Amino acid sequence: MGLKHKDLISINQLSVEEIQEILTLARQMRDQVRSMKQTEDLRGVTVVNLFYENSTRTRSSFELAAKYQGANVLNISASSSSVQKGEGLIDTAQTINAYYPDVIVMRHPNSGAHELLSKHVNAHVINAGDGGHNHPTQTLADLLTISREMGRLDNLTIGLCGDLKYGRTVHSLIEAMSRYKGIQFVLISPEELKIPGFIRYNVFENQGIPYTE
């Protein structure tokens, strides 16, 4: 692939062309998985899943995807590690870095944690969810589903319902879909869970994206 980024922390790092490249590869890999064919594409690669929040589905998805491609996988849960003894993220990063991992997949409750981690490790860092801001890999999965079901990613009305204030998957999806032409949003939530200001101003109003609450 022609991606130029060391890490994937925000969906905004990816251009529309790069997203399309990822989705094309994902379709090929989906067919591969369905036929139960494992590959050696990541043979010799070590992937560390570092989860400060519990998420069975997300962690299992990353683990299975890596193993399907022949990678070595190490799972670290903050609830059963030295984090419980007060070890900070930088200390944990230095410890993991000593294992010479190639990729670190991290879920963390604080926004900005992934940028901090990336400065203290040599590995590629993938954001598997942070605070209430970003969840780029979930967004890529959502885009894959939308394009499969609708046959396109432009000229769509997107309805988002539920927790729009803290829902990081919602925020990342809005930021991604807003770059396609003919997109408008319908936002459905209780008053106390309305879309936050940074999405309202940075995306809808600054970019002139139509939306209805």
Side-chain angles (χ1 to χ4, degrees), residues 13 31 40 107 120 142 188 201 208:
Q13 291 176 258
D31 295 337
E40 296 295 319
R107 172 170 286 207
H120 291 87
D142 292 340
I188 309 154
Y201 301 127

Side-chain angles (χ1 to χ4, degrees), residues 51-176:
F51 275 58
Y52 283 78
E53 291 181 322
N54 293 325
S55 178
T56 301
R57 287 174 296 182
T58 302
R59 197 189 75 175
S60 297
S61 295
F62 274 103
E63 181 178 0
L64 192 58
K67 287 182 175 179
Y68 261 120
Q69 298 174 82
N72 303 310
V73 180
L74 174 63
N75 293 317
I76 300 176
S77 174
S79 62
S80 58
S81 71
S82 295
V83 172
Q84 293 300 306
K85 302 175 186 177
E87 182 176 276
L89 178 58
I90 294 177
D91 294 324
T92 300
Q94 292 173 339
T95 299
I96 294 175
N97 205 43
Y99 303 154
Y100 299 105
D102 299 284
V103 179
I104 299 174
V105 178
M106 185 170 76
R107 172 170 286 207
H108 199 282
N110 296 331
S111 302
H114 295 79
E115 289 90 340
L116 179 62
L117 176 68
S118 68
K119 295 176 181 177
H120 291 87
V121 297
N122 298 321
H124 301 281
V125 174
I126 296 178
N127 184 354
D130 73 86
H133 281 75
N134 292 295
H135 200 333
T137 56
Q138 177 64 59
T139 294
L140 290 170
D142 292 340
L143 294 176
L144 182 65
T145 301
I146 294 170
S147 64
R148 181 188 66 204
E149 296 298 322
M150 302 303 297
R152 65 187 190 280
L153 287 173
D154 56 3
N155 298 307
L156 293 171
T157 298
I158 310 294
L160 298 168
C161 180
D163 177 5
L164 307 186
K165 183 175 183 179
Y166 301 106
R168 54 196 170 200
T169 57
V170 170
H171 303 162
S172 287
L173 183 60
I174 289 174
E175 289 176 332

